[in-house]
Amino acid sequence: YKGGALEADVSLPQLAAAARDPECLLWIDIQGLTEDEADFLVLTFRFHPLAIEDCMGDYVQTKREDYDDHMFLSFDAITYSAEEKEYKAINLNCFLAKSYIITIEPSCVSEIDGILKNPKHISKMLSNGTDHVLYSIMDKIVDKYFSCLRYI
């Protein structure tokens, strides 16, 4: 996102260039982090290898870690498996800084997917800052917690 214009589905070299541009705000959403993508994140954003390792694992306890120029968060979203007829936790990992938010999910988190399908909403959120994007994601996830609790 730069100057009111939103770009989607960009290549890794384009993302690296945008990450160096102080006028860009980035939201990078990754489903099923690969080794190549992990290497890209470490090289481009200088993420701690242990934080990336957390993103590669099956489950990480809910946590928040502060670094010099960004924050790492891990928390759970809830999804319903129609096949198994049960609710499951999906571990969502986020890196947040003033100029970017990177969400990493092992599989589709419906709350994020819903936001990503509405480019105008993404532009509005990013124009308010990356922290607003994180707030919107967490708000939708927590709302789903309450609807799931009704069935317990």
Side-chain angles (χ1 to χ4, degrees), residues 30-79:
I30 301 171
Q31 289 182 17
L33 184 67
T34 66
E35 290 288 337
D36 288 342
E37 291 165 334
D39 292 343
F40 170 80
L41 294 174
V42 169
L43 292 172
T44 304
F45 296 95
R46 300 182 317 273
F47 293 153
H48 195 284
L50 290 177
I52 293 295
E53 185 179 306
D54 285 346
C55 297
M56 301 289 286
D58 290 333
Y59 185 78
V60 176
Q61 195 71 355
T62 298
K63 66 176 165 179
R64 172 187 158 182
E65 295 178 359
D66 292 310
Y67 294 92
D68 291 339
D69 61 347
H70 67 277
M71 177 185 352
F72 174 68
L73 298 147
S74 184
F75 55 94
D76 291 335
I78 298 175
T79 188

Side-chain angles (χ1 to χ4, degrees), residues 90-149:
I90 297 177
N91 205 219
L92 178 62
N93 299 292
C94 296
F95 292 92
L96 180 72
K98 187 176 180 179
S99 62
Y100 61 80
I101 180 168
I102 300 171
T103 48
I104 301 171
E105 45 195 306
S107 60
C108 180
V109 172
S110 61
E111 293 79 11
I112 291 177
D113 196 44
I115 294 170
L116 289 171
K117 288 180 179 176
N118 187 343
K120 286 184 181 182
H121 187 60
I122 297 170
S123 292
K124 183 176 181 182
M125 285 189 307
L126 282 169
S127 70
N128 289 314
T130 56
D131 55 337
H132 189 77
V133 175
L134 179 61
Y135 172 82
S136 296
I137 292 168
M138 293 182 86
D139 184 54
K140 289 184 180 306
I141 287 172
V142 170
D143 284 349
K144 192 168 186 179
Y145 286 174
F146 290 113
S147 65
C148 293
L149 287 173

